[in-house]
Amino acid sequence: KNDWHVRVAGDDAAGQIEYNQATSEAHARLKVNLTRFALPDSKAESFVPSARQEAVTTVSDLPDISLVIDDLKVGKRHLGKVEFEASRRVEAGNIVWRITEAALRNAGSVIRARGSWVHTPGKSGETSVSIDGNIPDAVNGAPTTLHADLSWNNAPHRPDLSTLRGSFSSEMKRGEFLQIEPGAGRLLSLLSMQHLLRRLTLDFRDVLGKGFAFDSAHVAGTVKNGVLSIPKASVLGSSATVMVGGSISLVRETLDLDAIILPAINAGGP
C-alpha cells in the first residue's frame, strides 16, 4: 500500500497533506488541511476558463477529496477560507464525482456551491453546479446576493464556455459603481457603468462625479452556448435610473446591449 503523509511549513504554504491509495474496498482519498496557501498570479492563470479546453483527467482518475485552506492568497489578493468536499460514486450506471461542499468565506461573505461531474462513455463529461452567494460588500459597499444554476461540458476546473448553459440572478442594495482601471480585463471594462454612461449622448458627469451611486440593482437571465441573455437589468439611483437588456458572449467577449438612462432632473431650480 503506497499511502503518504506530508507536513508543509514555508512562506507560501503550511499544514498537512495525506493521500490514501485506492483499495478493493475504498477509492483513493486526498486530504488537505492547510493553515495558509499562496498561489502566484502566473499559476492562477492556468485555471482561467477559455472558450474550449479539453479535460486533462477523467472522473475515474479523481480521488475522493477533503480540502480546507484557512487562508488562500492568489497573487496579492487574500480570498479567505476555502472548503471543498467531493467523492466518486456510481449513479445510474455512470461514474459521478459528486461535489457535496465547495465554499469560500471571507469577512462575512460566503459563496457556496454544490454539483457533480458525470462521466459519459466516449465523452469528456458534463459538470453541473448550483451556486449561492451572500456578499456584504461586493460593489463598493453594496450588499449582494446571487444565485446560479449552470452546466457545461468538461471538467469542473476546465469549463468549455461554448457549452455553458443555465440561469442566474443577483440583487444588490445601496452601493456605488466605480470606474474600472485599465488592465482590469476587456469584458469587465466594457461592463463598467461609468463607461456606459460616458458613451451615451447625455453627459452628466457633473451629477455622477467619478462613480455612480445607486440604491438598488437587479439582474437575471439565462445562459446558452456561452451567451448570457439578459431581458432586463435595472439600477435605481438618486441621480439616475438605468435599465439594460441584451446579450453578452463569454466566448467572443462581446456585448450587444441596449440601455435606457433616466436622469433625475430638478426642474424647480434653487
Side-chain angles (χ1 to χ4, degrees):
K1 191 175 180 180
N2 189 23
D3 297 344
W4 49 267
H5 183 129
V6 177
R7 292 181 181 272
V8 182
D11 294 336
D12 294 333
Q16 301 182 62
I17 303 174
E18 298 179 23
Y19 179 78
N20 300 113
Q21 194 177 40
T23 67
S24 58
E25 299 177 351
H27 299 136
R29 181 171 179 81
L30 176 65
K31 185 176 181 180
V32 179
N33 195 331
L34 300 177
T35 56
R36 63 179 180 274
F37 181 67
L39 185 68
D41 280 327
S42 58
K43 298 295 183 181
E45 290 175 359
S46 63
F47 294 95
V48 176
S50 67
R52 182 173 296 275
Q53 293 184 353
E54 295 300 323
V56 295
T57 58
T58 65
V59 178
S60 58
D61 294 330
L62 294 173
D64 296 348
I65 294 178
S66 175
L67 178 146
V68 176
I69 302 175
D70 292 328
D71 182 14
L72 175 63
K73 182 180 178 182
V74 178
K76 297 181 179 181
R77 300 177 296 279
H78 284 274
L79 298 185
K81 183 175 183 178
V82 175
E83 299 167 288
F84 186 86
E85 292 278 346
S87 60
R88 182 160 51 94
R89 61 191 71 177
V90 177
E91 298 179 2
N94 294 319
I95 302 176
V96 179
W97 202 54
R98 179 71 61 185
I99 302 170
T100 54
E101 176 74 4
L104 175 63
R105 309 174 192 273
N106 186 354
S109 301
V110 179
I111 299 177
R112 305 182 72 173
R114 290 181 174 85
S116 62
W117 181 18
V118 180
H119 177 261
T120 303
K123 297 182 180 180
S124 58
E126 177 183 90
T127 298
S128 299
V129 296
S130 180
I131 303 169
D132 287 285
N134 192 334
I135 308 168
D137 188 12
V139 183
N140 199 35
T144 301
T145 58
L146 61 90
H147 176 78
D149 292 304
L150 301 172
S151 300
W152 59 84
N153 294 353
N154 246 344
H157 64 295
R158 296 290 188 191
D160 179 353
L161 292 183
S162 66
T163 66
L164 183 66
R165 53 204 177 272
S167 61
F168 61 92
S169 63
S170 180
E171 297 274 356
M172 289 186 287
K173 295 182 180 179
R174 185 184 300 271
E176 183 179 14
F177 290 111
L178 298 178
Q179 181 176 352
I180 296 177
E181 297 298 327
R186 179 186 173 197
L187 184 59
L188 198 59
S189 179
L190 287 171
L191 287 171
S192 167
M193 182 62 67
Q194 184 73 3
H195 287 190
L196 173 62
L197 297 177
R198 286 184 177 180
R199 285 182 172 87
L200 300 177
T201 303
L202 291 175
D203 182 355
F204 40 98
R205 282 174 293 177
D206 57 329
V207 177
L208 299 182
K210 292 185 178 181
F212 178 57
F214 60 90
D215 298 319
S216 65
H218 169 79
V219 61
T222 59
V223 189
K224 184 177 181 181
N225 298 329
V227 178
L228 282 67
S229 297
I230 304 171
K232 183 178 74 172
S234 60
V235 182
L236 307 179
S238 58
S239 58
T241 294
V242 181
M243 291 180 288
V244 179
S247 63
I248 301 171
S249 174
L250 299 179
V251 178
R252 297 180 179 180
E253 293 189 336
T254 58
L255 305 176
D256 183 9
L257 298 173
D258 295 316
I260 297 176
I261 295 184
L262 305 174
I265 299 175
N266 182 4

